[in-house]
Amino acid sequence: MRIVYVGIMACLVAIGGCSPVAAPVKQPPAWVMNPSNGGKVAGVGSCRPHINGFSAQRKVAIRRGLDEIAMQKGMTISNVALVGTSGTRAGTTTSMESWSFQTVDNQKVTAVVKASWRDPVTEELFVWVISN
């Protein structure tokens, strides 16, 4: 009986040692949900992982942040994205062209990237832009 008890205890210890330890979830910075910055117009743009890599992901996030600033200033915003895919036996090629237009009374949207944060779980990139 003692052998059965020791065997069960050994199995429980082994199973307990194999269970993954949950890593603490990193909370996003406060500016992700509240981008305002001391009276200046600010916006947050985000983008999930992009097919063309981190550089394209960053560009899309910045453009979306600029779009948010333009909307707050009452500008007309027009985004155009052209995605093309072609395939052969050897593989598939995807290309993407994207434009963003913000206009109103010859006003120009200019901003600076203040901070960025990448969600460790979803790999979504958040960019905080503040109007000049």
Side-chain angles (χ1 to χ4, degrees):
M1 186 67 161
R2 186 174 179 159
I3 294 174
V4 172
Y5 176 74
V6 171
I8 291 173
M9 290 304 290
C11 287
L12 289 175
V13 169
I15 291 172
C18 294
S19 65
V21 176
V25 176
K26 291 186 179 183
Q27 295 297 319
W31 55 261
V32 170
M33 297 307 280
N34 185 15
S36 63
N37 183 30
K40 287 190 174 183
V41 178
V44 173
S46 66
C47 182
R48 294 260 178 171
H50 198 281
I51 191 168
N52 292 327
F54 180 76
S55 178
Q57 181 183 18
R58 187 173 187 277
K59 286 178 186 177
V60 169
I62 291 170
R63 188 185 75 232
R64 289 177 179 167
L66 288 172
D67 289 350
E68 191 172 313
I69 289 173
M71 284 188 290
Q72 291 177 41
K73 290 185 172 186
M75 298 179 172
T76 303
I77 299 169
S78 176
N79 289 311
V80 178
L82 175 64
V83 179
T85 304
S86 61
T88 63
R89 285 190 220 192
T92 303
T93 303
T94 302
S95 63
M96 180 176 179
E97 294 181 42
S98 180
W99 301 273
S100 178
F101 305 99
Q102 298 95 2
T103 57
V104 67
D105 301 328
N106 295 323
Q107 225 178 0
K108 187 177 182 181
V109 177
T110 58
V112 62
V113 175
K114 188 75 170 178
S116 62
W117 177 73
R118 195 170 192 180
D119 188 317
V121 176
T122 64
E123 295 185 359
E124 184 171 6
L125 178 67
F126 294 86
V127 178
W128 185 28
V129 290
I130 299 176
S131 180
N132 292 337

